[in-house]
Structure formats: C-alpha cells, structure tokens
Amino acid sequence: MVTSNDASDFNRQQEHPGTTLASLPPAPSSSTSSSSSMSTAGPTTMPQGPEATSSSHNTLPESTGETPCDVKTAKRTAKQPVVATRQQRPKLAGFEFYEKILGSPKYVVAPMVDASELAWRLLSRRHGAQLCYSPMFHSSCFTKDPKYRKDSLQTCPEDRPLIIQFCGNDPKVLLEAGLLAQDHCDAIDINLGCPQAIAKRGHYGAFLQDEWDLLKKIVSTLHQNLSVPVTCKVRIFEDMAKTIRYAKMLESAGCQMLVVHGRTRDQKGPLTGVADWKYVKVLKEIMKIPVLSNGNIMSVEDVHRCIEETGVNGVMTAEGNLFNPFLFEGINPTSWTVALEYLDIVEKYPAPISYIRGHLFKILHHLMNLKSNGPLREQMATSHSVADFRAIVKQLEAKYEPFHEGLQRWTGEETNTEQPPESEPDQPTYNLALPPWLCQPYIRAPPEVHRQKMVDSARAAADPNREKRIFLDSDGNEISRKKMKKMRRVERRPNRAGLLPSDPKREPSRRFDDICKNTKLDCTNPMGLKCDHQLCRVCCRVRCYHEDRDCAGHKLFIKTRRDKAKRLTEAEKLEQQQQQAKAVDGGKDDDNAAAKDGQEPKQLMEIES
C-alpha cells in the first residue's frame, strides 16, 4: 500500500531504484497544514535525509513563503523546542492510522536484526506480506553515525507501508532518531521485546519492561513530538494482571498500535517453548488500539487460527518468514526457487554479504543438513559474492530437481537410478508432508528436552569413568577441543585475514602443520608463522622473559622495554645527582650569605662607637 503523502518520494525514486531517500534532493513541502493534525504547538519543518543531524531541528522563518530547499537553517540552541511534523498529511491515531495509513494489514513481517533489510522486505511483499518492519536500529548509533543512518534508511517506492524500529533507553536520543527517520516511514516502533543478552548489556528491549516511568516518558515524548504514530512491540509477564496494566500504561502514554509476543523475557533460545495466545486474546479485548500477535506462526493456517482464537487485527511472523518467505501465500516452494529470486532482488538492491549468507542458510536449511551436501555447506560459508552463492544454488537445483519432478525416486539418500527398484523401496527419511528441498518451518525441540539433555550432560561430566573425546591434529598429536575448533574455523574461512585466493599478493593461508619447536616441554601448540624463535605464543613469551629477547612476530618486545626502563632509570639517577649537587652548592651560598650578614652589624657597631 502507498499512502498519498509519499507520492513525491515515489516520483523522486522512480529513476533511482537502488538509492535511499536521504541521498536524493528533498522535495518541496506544502506551505499549508491543518492545525488539528499537529500534536504540539509551534510546528517546524524537518529537512529530509539522514544527513540532517542537529540542524534537522531548526525552525524556519514563518514570514517567508519559501520551501525548505530555499531556506538556510540556523544552528538550534538548547532552548529551542525539538518538534517536527509532516505537512503532507495529518497525523492519524489508533484504528484510523491502522486502516487508512497501513491499510488494515493481516500479514506482517517482524523486525529482524540483520535480516529484514530492503531486499528481503521486497521478496516478502511479493508473496503476501502487507506490512513490513525494518531491522532493529540502535538509536544512539543512528543519531551519531551518518553512514549507519544512510544504510539503515535504504528503501524504494514499493517498500510501503513501512515501520522503522528503534531500541534505546534515552527519551531524547530516541526522539532525535525518530525525527531523522519519520520522513521515510509510516510509524516509529519502540523495541520492548528483545530478550537477548546484548539487550541486557545495552539496557533496552525486554529489559526495560520493569521501568514503567521511563517507558511512559519515552512513549509520550515520541508521541508528542513526532509527526508519525508511535507503536510498541512487547513481551508478556507471567502475571496476567501485570501484563494488562503494562499494556494499558503504554496505551495511555501514546502508543497507537501494540504488538504482543506471547512469551516471557526468559523464553528464548532452547527454552523458547510455545507462545501463549491467552494473553493476546485478553489484551485484544480490553485495548482500544489495534493489537497484533507474534509467535507460533509456521504456516498460513496458523495465521488464520490465531486471528480466529484471539481476534487480533493482524499476525506477525519472524522465524516462519525466514524459512519460507512464501508463507502468507500458503505454499511451500522449492528452496532454489526462493533463493534465486532473492538473489535477483539483491543484485538490484544490494545487501551485506553476511545478510545474504544468513538468508540462504535458512532457506536451504533442510538441504544443507544432509551429509552429502557438507561440501556445499562449507563452500557457502566461505563465499563472498552473489555469483558464488548463485552457483551453489544452481548445483542444488540440478541435484534435486529430478526428485522434485518425479524423474527419480527419493528414499533418503540420493540415487542415480532413473527407475524405482523392483523390490519394496525403503521408507523415505523426510516427513510425510514435505521433502527436504521444499521450504518448510524449523521445528524447535521442547524446553523439556533441552532441560533433560542438560541434566544428562551434567551427570556424564561428573562421572569419573566417562570416556573423554580425544582431538588430534594433522600429525596425530593430541590437542584441546578449543584448538581443534580454532583450526577448523581458520581452515574453513581462510579469507578473513587476507586477500582472496586469486589475488597474487595474497600471503600463504595460515596452517597448523608446524608445531611449536619447544622440545623441553614437548609443546603441541601450533607454531607462530612469523615467530622469530619458531614457537607458539605462550612458549615464546616465556623464552623472551627468561632469556631477555624480543619477538616481532608475536609483538613481544621484552628486551626493548627492559633496555628502555634501564635508560630511564639511569637518566633519573643522573637527574637526582644533579639536583643533589645543586642543593649542596645552594647550601654553601646560603652559608656565605649568612656570614656576610653577620659581619655587617659588627662593622656598623664599630663605626658608631
């Protein structure tokens, strides 16, 4: 859906499909506006573009009829209000905003860090998504880093309706971020649901849900000063009554749409479990704003069941969309079809390689888990271009399309037999509904299984008679599990530390064939390639310490620092000796002066007599 106020943005971007709105010249704004649409008095005009930092809050002269393009802004003082409004359209609220601006969306793609970028949003919109969220952006980075802000605001005319989500705990910083982003979206969302450890360290997301005064201030500040509505995405409390009070508090502070994830803050990772729709149903019945549900969505049937059981206005999905972006259409396409379409969009709207690789691993998840596809999985992990990814997907298509078309029979492991064997075929290893080459949801094990596994692991670790797993290097020497993981990681990703293999200037890739030459301890650690003494770092540091040496390869400059310390000590001693000598000379001068002072009175007395 495209709203009328964004028509100018669309016209500006029709000839620049891969650019951000911020990189284009700002469009003139209308000089008239409805006073009823302003959330606060004294409106100002926001310059369009992410480069608008502190100057984006400047007020324009009211006596002139010039547009923002014709007026030079002055530096804003600390006493000037931070207020901005859109003159292109009134600011709607609640259901009016949900229906007229968003278009009453039922199918919603969730905000996903490093995943819901422009290319993925466009793919989802092509296949049923009616509303998309941006990835979660950190409000502090968004306001301080122009490059981060420009990359975050990548969009195009087809990317509407769009809600941009921010995280943070400072009302002023969140407001500044919202002012910079409000001209590029239809609403600003506050992340109050992230349960991850990074959110705990950064003090945002679900770890703010106990600080109601702060949340009320954040929501009300954005509601009163932004020209677009403010929405919130939250998690529930175990106490139903507290959850109700929490939601009502956000609504009274100015939240215009609430997304409820029916899991608590502690339900994450292997303890995720099932979202509780009872909380969502109760909140929908008492709230006077639109309510969306998040959680337990793995197919379009789950969407319809959720709406029927809870009565919510729409349903949001994250993980279900990542594994099957065609979910809202109710189909399970071949994984290579989805992957190739996504790569086509990426070539038009570029995305970071890490984002592309992450999406492909989820789309091809069930195929890549097959042992026979291990080499392709390793190849994808080390690929760094769209062409390489496309070649891998093409290999999978050539390998599994005959099974999909029925030309060959799939019995769990691939076979080149054109016709099924005469004897009774083996039972297939995939479930009855979907073979592994079709996009399908990822099913997590119940939390009870994980808890039992942890108990069994603890019991096995406490058993003194348990068999320990032995790890060996290429020469058969026993090494630790940590060293083995490091060896495999480096061998799997040799391009991280240097140039690509095709570059003639590339240094030889790091290998662990050479072992530390410390024969006294029979050290089995890998030898440093640049070590002056052909030792590992630990042994090299010990030798340099005891034998007073340096190692440029390991950047150990013990001898140099000791020599420097000796020179400084000698200089200090010399300086002390000089000061002592000056003190002795000064004492002699004082004695001579005192003697002269004693002789002068005697001479005066003799003269007087």
Side-chain angles (χ1 to χ4, degrees):
M1 172 188 172
V2 178
T3 55
S4 60
N5 66 294
D6 299 314
S8 60
D9 291 344
F10 293 173
N11 295 331
R12 290 160 55 209
Q13 278 202 312
Q14 283 178 351
E15 297 181 358
H16 307 276
T19 60
T20 61
L21 290 175
S23 63
L24 297 177
S29 61
S30 174
S31 60
T32 60
S33 62
S34 174
S35 60
S36 61
S37 66
M38 305 307 175
S39 58
T40 58
T44 61
T45 304
M46 283 288 296
Q48 300 183 17
E51 289 76 9
T53 54
S54 61
S55 63
S56 63
H57 305 150
N58 302 335
T59 56
L60 299 179
E62 296 180 358
S63 59
T64 64
E66 297 175 329
T67 65
C69 298
D70 303 322
V71 179
K72 294 183 179 180
T73 59
K75 291 185 177 180
R76 177 177 62 85
T77 62
K79 296 182 179 180
Q80 288 179 304
V82 183
V83 183
T85 58
R86 273 192 184 182
Q87 296 183 355
Q88 291 91 341
R89 71 178 179 202
K91 178 179 177 179
L92 305 182
F95 281 97
E96 192 176 12
F97 154 71
Y98 176 76
E99 295 170 358
K100 294 184 178 181
I101 302 301
L102 301 183
S104 302
K106 303 291 184 184
Y107 305 144
V108 184
V109 175
M112 297 173 286
V113 177
D114 297 346
S116 56
E117 81 283 0
L118 174 60
W120 189 260
R121 295 198 301 267
L122 292 179
L123 177 65
S124 301
R125 292 181 190 277
R126 288 184 181 181
H127 299 283
Q130 299 168 344
L131 169 65
C132 291
Y133 281 65
S134 73
M136 180 196 75
F137 301 136
H138 199 291
S139 57
S140 179
C141 298
F142 192 87
T143 56
K144 296 178 181 179
D145 189 344
K147 184 179 183 302
Y148 178 88
R149 184 164 61 245
K150 183 177 180 180
D151 295 340
S152 301
L153 291 176
Q154 187 182 17
T155 185
C156 70
E158 295 82 8
D159 190 29
R160 286 299 180 92
L162 174 66
I163 296 179
I164 293 180
Q165 186 187 73
F166 288 108
C167 70
N169 54 29
D170 189 334
K172 294 181 180 179
V173 176
L174 281 164
L175 174 59
E176 186 176 357
L179 290 170
L180 294 170
Q182 65 179 359
D183 292 328
H184 309 288
C185 61
D186 298 289
I188 298 295
D189 184 77
I190 305 173
N191 184 337
L192 302 178
C194 181
Q196 304 302 326
I198 190 173
K200 185 176 183 179
R201 293 194 299 269
H203 192 53
Y204 60 82
F207 297 93
L208 293 177
Q209 65 179 11
D210 295 319
E211 302 182 32
W212 290 15
D213 292 337
L214 175 60
L215 292 181
K216 185 181 298 184
K217 185 177 181 181
I218 290 175
V219 176
S220 61
T221 299
L222 270 62
H223 171 63
Q224 294 170 8
N225 295 287
L226 293 180
S227 64
V228 294
V230 178
T231 67
C232 296
K233 187 174 184 293
V234 300
R235 288 199 170 213
I236 62 173
F237 293 93
E238 291 185 1
D239 184 1
M240 176 71 78
K242 188 175 183 180
T243 303
I244 295 174
R245 295 195 304 270
Y246 180 51
K248 295 297 289 183
M249 179 272 295
L250 295 174
E251 181 183 14
S252 63
C255 176
Q256 303 303 318
M257 185 174 73
L258 188 68
V259 180
V260 182
H261 191 155
R263 293 185 175 95
T264 64
R265 186 170 61 191
D266 297 328
Q267 288 182 276
K268 58 184 177 181
L271 300 178
T272 297
V274 179
D276 194 341
W277 287 351
K278 292 184 296 184
Y279 290 79
V280 182
K281 180 179 180 180
V282 172
L283 292 179
K284 172 56 185 172
E285 293 174 350
I286 65 174
M287 301 291 284
K288 298 180 181 179
I289 57 176
V291 176
L292 306 183
S293 176
N294 182 211
N296 298 351
I297 304 302
M298 295 183 290
S299 65
V300 71
E301 290 78 12
D302 293 332
V303 175
H304 300 154
R305 185 167 57 88
C306 180
I307 295 177
E308 182 180 355
E309 293 184 11
T310 63
V312 291
N313 301 99
V315 175
M316 174 184 289
T317 179
E319 198 169 72
N321 169 261
L322 290 177
F323 284 89
N324 180 15
F326 292 36
L327 180 148
F328 293 130
E329 291 183 330
I331 61 176
N332 297 91
T334 56
S335 55
W336 54 81
T337 301
V338 179
L340 292 175
E341 183 175 356
Y342 172 66
L343 292 176
D344 290 339
I345 299 175
V346 166
E347 289 185 343
K348 186 176 182 182
Y349 301 98
I353 291 296
S354 60
Y355 293 16
I356 302 172
R357 185 184 294 111
H359 282 303
L360 293 180
F361 268 121
K362 288 182 173 60
I363 294 172
L364 305 170
H365 173 77
H366 293 83
L367 280 181
M368 289 300 184
N369 273 350
L370 298 177
K371 292 183 178 180
S372 58
N373 293 328
L376 288 178
R377 182 182 181 89
E378 296 294 332
Q379 184 180 349
M380 181 176 290
T382 58
S383 297
H384 292 83
S385 69
V386 176
D388 293 340
F389 292 135
R390 188 182 295 275
I392 295 172
V393 175
K394 286 290 186 181
Q395 291 184 55
L396 291 172
E397 179 183 13
K399 185 177 182 179
Y400 290 98
E401 191 171 25
F403 299 108
H404 181 67
E405 298 293 338
L407 301 179
Q408 299 181 16
R409 183 172 180 80
W410 170 261
T411 58
E413 290 294 333
E414 300 85 348
T415 175
N416 294 325
T417 306
E418 292 292 336
Q419 298 178 352
E422 297 180 359
S423 60
E424 186 69 16
D426 298 333
Q427 293 295 326
T429 57
Y430 58 85
N431 58 63
L432 297 178
L434 300 173
W437 56 81
L438 296 184
C439 289
Q440 53 192 288
Y442 172 72
I443 308 298
R444 294 179 180 272
E448 294 76 14
V449 175
H450 173 72
R451 293 191 185 99
Q452 185 60 41
K453 187 182 298 184
M454 297 300 294
V455 171
D456 296 341
S457 299
R459 185 184 299 112
D463 185 5
N465 299 322
R466 72 183 187 281
E467 293 184 3
K468 294 184 178 180
R469 187 176 178 183
I470 299 176
F471 298 96
L472 304 175
D473 60 10
S474 58
D475 293 333
N477 300 314
E478 183 176 353
I479 58 176
S480 65
R481 182 173 182 271
K482 182 178 180 180
K483 290 293 182 182
M484 174 58 71
K485 291 178 65 176
K486 185 175 181 180
M487 289 173 56
R488 291 175 178 174
R489 183 170 64 251
V490 173
E491 291 174 356
R492 183 170 64 248
R493 307 178 71 178
N495 301 331
R496 281 181 64 90
L499 305 172
L500 295 176
S502 58
D503 197 313
K505 297 180 181 181
R506 174 180 169 83
E507 296 180 359
S509 60
R510 180 174 176 84
R511 300 184 63 187
F512 291 94
D513 296 338
D514 296 328
I515 302 300
C516 176
K517 304 301 182 183
N518 188 352
T519 57
K520 294 182 180 180
L521 299 178
D522 292 331
C523 180
T524 59
N525 290 334
M527 180 189 73
L529 294 180
K530 297 181 180 180
C531 179
D532 299 338
H533 314 298
Q534 296 184 336
L535 301 173
C536 68
R537 183 176 181 82
V538 177
C539 296
C540 183
R541 183 169 60 247
V542 173
R543 174 172 292 187
C544 291
Y545 180 82
H546 290 289
E547 299 181 5
D548 195 22
R549 296 186 179 186
D550 288 341
C551 178
H554 282 128
K555 297 182 180 180
L556 299 173
F557 303 104
I558 296 177
K559 183 178 185 302
T560 303
R561 291 175 180 174
R562 286 176 177 174
D563 293 342
K564 183 178 180 181
K566 291 178 182 178
R567 291 194 299 270
L568 291 175
T569 302
E570 293 175 355
E572 290 176 356
K573 288 181 179 180
L574 180 61
E575 184 178 358
Q576 290 178 359
Q577 292 175 359
Q578 293 175 352
Q579 291 177 355
Q580 291 176 358
K582 289 181 180 179
V584 172
D585 294 341
K588 292 180 179 179
D589 294 339
D590 293 341
D591 294 340
N592 294 335
K596 290 180 181 181
D597 293 341
Q599 292 177 358
E600 289 180 354
K602 292 180 180 180
Q603 293 175 357
L604 292 174
M605 291 175 64
E606 292 177 355
I607 294 173
E608 291 177 355
S609 62

